[in-house]
């Protein structure tokens, strides 16, 4: 009887601790640059991702397809349906091209349909997970080709309104284009000063997760922890990211 009572106490304690768990765990896979030739590789990686336990969501970080063409998007959508976890899909410089009839609206509506309407069809939006507010920023250009991202006035105004409404929340920003300096001007995000000046007005933006630079960078700048994940297309790598801001804890694990 004592052993049964002890087991019940431990079981209840386990449930209480897990109910109050504030750690978020996600998988970040970016710059896949998918086409018909490398689709099999991603299919195998998705099987691996599906085997993970306790993942809150999978972040497809932009440049998901090699070129904004219907065949590439169809292949990506087909594989996206196979992921058995919540997905967040960002846009990158290779994903949209209005001249090929793939604009942001078309791309994200296809993603929303593939995820059984459990995904936003807007390029800028928010969602809550545990105690955190995740803010998705776009930065892509759809009317002309460019490897540089750019966060324009309208997008930054939207961000300001979002941050003003959520000053009491811990915020994690998800975006394809980093705010950090790049080794090449061809890759560097354009005119980040206004974005950085905006972030300086708030002390609750804690983490920014991005890709695009095709290398791993982890650094703290002006109180914000920046995580940049290397290109899956080039290395086959992706990251698990664990965040518990109550303990100022951020841990990443690169998987190849």
């Amino acid at each position: 009887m004592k052993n049964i009572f002890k087991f019940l106490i431990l079981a209840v304690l386990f449930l209480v601790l897990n109910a109050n768990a504030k750690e978020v765990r996600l998988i970040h896979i970016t710059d896949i640059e998918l086409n018909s030739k490398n689709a099999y590789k991603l299919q195998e990686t998705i099987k691996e991702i599906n085997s993970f336990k306790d993942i809150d969501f999978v972040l497809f970080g932009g440049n998901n397809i090699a070129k904004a063409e219907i065949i590439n998007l169809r292949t990506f959508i087909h594989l996206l349906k196979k992921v058995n976890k919540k997905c967040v899909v960002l846009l990158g410089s290779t994903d949209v091209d209005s001249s090929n009839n793939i604009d942001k609206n078309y791309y994200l509506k296809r993603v929303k349909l593939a995820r059984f309407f459990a995904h936003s069809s807007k390029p800028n939006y928010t969602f809550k997970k545990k105690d955190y507010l995740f803010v998705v920023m776009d930065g892509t250009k759809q009317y002309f080709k460019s490897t540089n991202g750019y966060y324009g006035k309208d997008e930054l105004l939207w961000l300001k309104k979002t941050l003003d409404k959520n000053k009491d929340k811990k915020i994690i920003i998800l975006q394809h284009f980093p705010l950090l300096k790049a080794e090449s001007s061809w890759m560097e995000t354009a005119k980040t000063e206004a974005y950085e000046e905006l972030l300086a007005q708030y002390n609750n933006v804690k983490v920014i997760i991005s890709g695009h630079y095709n290398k791993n960078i982890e650094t703290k700048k002006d109180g914000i922890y920046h995580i940049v994940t290397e290109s899956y297309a080039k290395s086959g790598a992706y990251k698990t990211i664990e965040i518990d801001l109550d303990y100022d804890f951020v841990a990443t694990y690169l998987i190849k």
Side-chain angles (χ1 to χ4, degrees), residues 20 23 31 40-41 54 65 68 74 88 105 126-127 138 158-159 161 167 173 182 186 198 231 243 247 256:
N20 293 325
E23 181 180 272
D31 298 274
Y40 178 77
K41 176 183 174 183
D54 302 320
I65 56 180
R74 283 177 180 168
V88 177
N105 183 56
T126 66
F127 65 94
D138 179 22
W158 175 86
L159 177 60
K161 290 178 178 178
K167 291 182 178 180
I173 296 179
W186 290 98
L198 175 60
S231 165
I243 301 171
Y247 295 96
K256 289 190 175 182

Side-chain angles (χ1 to χ4, degrees), residues 24-31 57 59 61 90 134 151 171-180 205-221 223-230 238-245 248-254:
V24 169
R25 190 168 182 238
L26 64 111
I27 287 175
H28 186 210
I29 179 168
T30 187
D31 298 274
F57 63 92
L59 175 62
L90 307 186
F134 287 85
Y151 300 99
I171 291 176
I172 299 169
I173 296 179
L174 310 175
Q175 58 191 43
H176 178 69
F177 303 98
L179 298 183
L180 304 174
V205 178
K206 301 297 184 181
V207 181
I208 297 178
I209 301 173
S210 54
H212 191 62
Y213 283 179
N214 299 332
K215 63 185 298 186
N216 290 305
I217 306 171
E218 294 184 20
T219 187
K220 202 164 189 178
K221 179 183 177 185
I224 299 174
Y225 197 85
H226 293 260
I227 300 171
V228 182
T229 301
E230 69 182 71
Y238 61 93
K239 278 180 183 172
T240 63
I241 301 173
E242 298 177 23
I243 301 171
D244 188 339
L245 296 178
D248 198 27
F249 174 78
V250 179
T252 70
Y253 305 90
L254 188 69

Side-chain angles (χ1 to χ4, degrees), residues 125-129 131-136 157-173 201-206:
Y125 65 97
T126 66
F127 65 94
K128 295 178 182 178
K129 184 63 67 174
D131 280 355
Y132 309 117
L133 181 72
F134 287 85
V135 177
V136 175
L157 179 60
W158 175 86
L159 177 60
K160 184 180 188 310
K161 290 178 178 178
T162 300
L163 296 179
D164 284 340
K165 291 178 182 177
N166 295 282
K167 291 182 178 180
D168 60 330
K169 295 181 177 65
K170 298 182 181 75
I171 291 176
I172 299 169
I173 296 179
Q201 300 173 34
Y202 304 87
N203 60 9
N204 60 330
V205 178
K206 301 297 184 181

Side-chain angles (χ1 to χ4, degrees), residues 29 32 34 38-46 76 79 232:
I29 179 168
I32 296 167
L34 184 72
N38 61 14
Y40 178 77
K41 176 183 174 183
L42 179 60
Q43 182 170 293
E44 293 304 302
T45 298
I46 287 173
F76 176 65
L79 294 176
Y232 174 84

